[in-house]
Amino acid sequence: MTVNGGLRSTQWFGATGRAGMAHRSWMRSQGFTPEVFDGRPVIGIATTWSELAPCNVHLHRVAESVKRGVWQAGGFPLEFPAMALGETLLRPTAMLYRNLLAMEAEELMRANPLDGVVLLSGCDKTTPGLLMAAASVDLPAVMVTGGPMLNGKYQGTDVGSGTAVWRFEEDLVAGRMTQEECWFAEGCMARSNGHCMTMGTASTMASMAEALGMQLPYSATWPAVDARRYETAQRAGQVVVGLVLEDLRPSMIMTRAAFENAIRVNAAIGGSTNAVIHLLAIAGRLGVPLSLDDFDVLARDVPTLVNLQPSGAYLMEDFCYAGGLPAVMRELVDAGLLHAGAVTVTGSGIGANVADAPCWNREVIKTVAEPFQPAGSGTAVLRGNLAPGGAVIKQSASSPHLLKHRGRALVFDSPADYYAVSNDPGLDVDEDTVLVIRYCGPRGYPGMPEVSNVALPRKLLQRGVRDMVRICDGRMSGTAYGTVVLHVAPEAAAGGPLALVRTGDWITLDVPARSLTLEVGPEELAGRQAAWQPPAPHASRGWTRLYCEHVLQAGQGADLDFLVGASGHEVPKDSH
Ligand code: FES
């Protein structure tokens, strides 16, 4: 990125007088030799490392490899922390803070003397948060995700992080597993550094970053502890220096064509529904026109090629050894399903990057001709009087017999209300019931948590029922499964029709027709709407207040309204 013919960082480190002295002198307290201020590219390494975000805890070591690459290529690397969002610990949900990470990282990148950035992420929200930030600043950037954990191993079988949690919980409730076995199993799922190794949201978003062209080929799949993860990180350090010199920026890489590629790759890998929200938010930062309906239209002719949990059998380690994302993308390119010319951080098009990508295991990565699941089995977008702003359902994680379903609603205003009675043998529920869980949207919870796939009522689990239709304005973990309609918009807390459903109402779900219908007439609904009272605000101050007052609905990416768009990298005023 050049400014008046020089690198942006020379405004700081090349300055004369008191200001230049201040910029350089305090940096020299770290023991850097003076040559680092000779006008070479300054590369920020944004790391979301934290012991409170276990999926990202190894990123400080990944950063060391990036630094090697930056030094090798003649740059000056400087690591800095960005908000670490750990999916498993943060309350009420890490999603409440994705936009805060994006805002923090954006400001840090802009305010500091950086010419380019390497983005180190891993756990679910850190990847989209950093991509949103990089999009709004538009300095040359390369992402390096931390890589998945090794496969979980329990009693001789592979177990997937996240996905196994739901199964173990059901088995415990149904009496198929003891509490002692469950405690032991906890230690078997997450047994190495890295993010969840199912095709959950973290693996999905790592794949999206690669499909968008923002990280190097194979970056999404090398396990976190694999030497090639660190080799890739070193390569990324070299690459970003080149991007600075060529002035190849995120806005030139993450184009409409790149987003179309990402949406199609998401369908091919059986990726998380959370990709919908995150890709919409990233596109919003870039001014790329992208709508909820694009996800349905673009995914319809893409078969699922990857046989990974939660939709399939295998895990990310298997995916890596089978050939990783490039093997999938090669299939799609050869079938004419991707824009092969979409440029990436390698400087080449996606098609050139994957032209020779081999597949070593057709059990894990199938072909377009003989896919794992047929075209049109990915995420579907639903509309109807219950979701005028749209809703989504992950077909590949649903039960086929429930994709067309009519049932009576059983309504709860929170997951807690539901769980207070879900074990009651007298609960008036059967396998045809449609569970409605609401006030879980961006404003409602707040933060739109992954609570939508509530566990089935105990009496149904004990009868062997494994799935039922659930409808919610929240999200679902990418590691989860079930026939769950998600992201219903407008959400209940915004006065959407979901707030007007009453227990006993008939609801029809017709995924092939892409419809979600509340069988209540418009006059009755108007009466209910007039009587509806919005919930009390969650907070009178701080981030939660700002978030609730400005968050957009799920179908718009759930960014804050004033963060949509970009501000570039220029800061004309000096600090001294
Ligand atoms: Fe961090 Fe799953 S909890 S990726």
Side-chain angles (χ1 to χ4, degrees), residues 55 87-88 123-124 195-196 202:
C55 308
E87 196 65 30
T88 52
C123 201
D124 297 10
H195 58 67
C196 289

Side-chain angles (χ1 to χ4, degrees), residues 46-50 52-59 81-87 90 94-95 97-105 109 118-134 143-147 194-195 201-203 205-206 209 278 282:
T47 177
T48 50
W49 170 87
S50 167
L52 288 168
C55 308
N56 293 16
V57 80
H58 60 303
L59 291 182
M83 225 180 147
L85 304 179
E87 196 65 30
L90 281 168
M95 183 62 178
Y97 304 107
R98 181 202 65 179
N99 301 336
L100 185 56
L101 161 62
M103 190 161 70
E104 180 213 28
M109 290 177 203
V118 177
L119 314 168
L120 303 189
S121 66
C123 201
D124 297 10
K125 306 303 176 292
T126 53
T127 299
L130 288 179
L131 285 175
M132 290 159 72
M143 176 157 267
V144 182
T145 51
H195 58 67
T201 304
S203 297
M205 291 312 299
H278 298 320
I282 299 163

Side-chain angles (χ1 to χ4, degrees), residues 186-228:
E186 280 178 14
C188 302
M189 275 188 299
R191 63 188 186 92
S192 80
N193 284 149
H195 58 67
C196 289
M197 84 311 260
T198 50
M199 187 47 82
T201 304
S203 297
T204 298
M205 291 312 299
S207 300
M208 294 299 90
E210 190 170 323
L212 283 167
M214 288 298 293
Q215 65 171 343
L216 293 170
Y218 297 100
S219 285
T221 44
W222 296 127
V225 296
D226 195 304
R228 291 163 292 186

Side-chain angles (χ1 to χ4, degrees), residues 261-286:
N261 284 346
I263 291 169
R264 289 196 143 137
V265 168
N266 191 45
I269 61 176
S272 164
T273 46
N274 287 321
V276 177
I277 294 182
H278 298 320
L279 289 175
L280 286 168
I282 299 163
R285 297 300 186 97
L286 293 154

